[in-house]
Amino acid sequence: SDVYKRQYQRRVHGVVGIERHNQVKEFLEKNQTSGSLITVSGGSLKAHNIVFLVTPVWMGGQNQEEDQMKSAILSALATCNAVKYETVSIPILQNGMNGFTRQKITEVFITAILDFLQNTDVNIRNIRLVSSDHPTVLATRDVLNQLQDLFGSTKSKVVVEQSAGGFETGQQQKTN
């Protein structure tokens, strides 16, 4: 779990710079509970704010990690919805991040997002799932297409994007 924490902290530093990195690092040192989150300014990024979320580490499925991950994602979406964000970008955890397989993490992410959109009075109009890892983008697009057929349409648009970095805007690849 320390390995995953260091990977996460390196990504945070690369995305938001040293000042916000220290803010997030301090938060993570105090908050280890899955679903805990902090919102920081987007700084020079196109995003006004960034919500950082504590997610569970895969322990073989013995500790309800899928449910914990889904709950964490729902918590982040509820926070964004409550402050009336219209567009939310979510970096997709890559294969092996926190120990989840690519297939498992994409299924949990997409199911949580579609559940949220079906069962909530939604202010969010666009959800962008972004990754710099091409196989993760392809797997996410496949899972999204499969699950959208099961869930049906929503008022919000969900797209998968390839980007240079997890939070940057990349080339949009529409999936509906």
Side-chain angles (χ1 to χ4, degrees):
S1 107
D2 283 341
V3 170
Y4 297 120
K5 187 190 297 184
R6 284 192 301 275
Q7 287 175 343
Y8 188 74
Q9 288 176 351
R10 277 195 302 271
R11 288 189 74 196
V12 168
H13 182 270
V15 169
V16 298
I18 190 68
E19 180 183 325
R20 284 172 213 79
H21 172 262
N22 289 337
Q23 192 180 1
V24 173
K25 181 179 177 185
E26 183 179 311
F27 167 79
L28 290 174
E29 288 171 356
K30 297 176 184 173
N31 297 281
Q32 297 298 312
T33 305
S34 180
S36 299
L37 53 87
I38 182 175
T39 303
V40 298
S41 165
S44 62
L45 296 174
K46 291 180 182 180
H48 293 288
N49 295 296
I50 300 173
V51 177
F52 286 95
L53 179 65
V54 177
T55 57
V57 173
W58 184 257
M59 306 296 272
Q62 313 252 337
N63 297 321
Q64 299 175 323
E65 298 91 346
E66 286 181 52
D67 292 339
Q68 290 178 40
M69 181 67 80
K70 183 176 178 181
S71 178
I73 295 164
L74 290 171
S75 174
L77 288 171
T79 297
C80 293
N81 197 55
V83 293
K84 300 188 190 271
Y85 292 156
E86 290 186 9
T87 299
V88 176
S89 294
I90 302 173
I92 310 158
L93 295 179
Q94 296 177 13
N95 191 38
M97 290 294 286
N98 286 18
F100 283 82
T101 65
R102 180 179 291 118
Q103 184 69 24
K104 183 61 65 188
I105 197 67
T106 55
E107 288 174 0
V108 172
F109 262 68
I110 301 298
T111 300
I113 290 165
L114 294 176
D115 275 352
F116 180 81
L117 295 175
Q118 293 285 325
N119 298 311
T120 307
D121 185 23
V122 180
N123 296 308
I124 300 168
R125 296 292 171 237
N126 301 293
I127 297 178
R128 298 172 33 229
L129 302 171
V130 295
S131 177
S132 58
D133 180 62
H134 188 66
T136 299
V137 169
L138 294 176
T140 304
R141 188 180 304 122
D142 289 344
V143 170
L144 178 59
N145 287 334
Q146 292 168 11
L147 291 178
Q148 276 183 325
D149 290 341
L150 292 174
F151 279 84
S153 64
T154 64
K155 295 187 304 185
S156 303
K157 181 169 77 172
V158 181
V159 296
V160 180
E161 298 179 2
Q162 174 100 28
S163 66
F167 290 88
E168 299 168 14
T169 301
Q171 181 170 345
Q172 191 174 86
Q173 299 169 344
K174 188 173 179 189
T175 57
N176 341 6

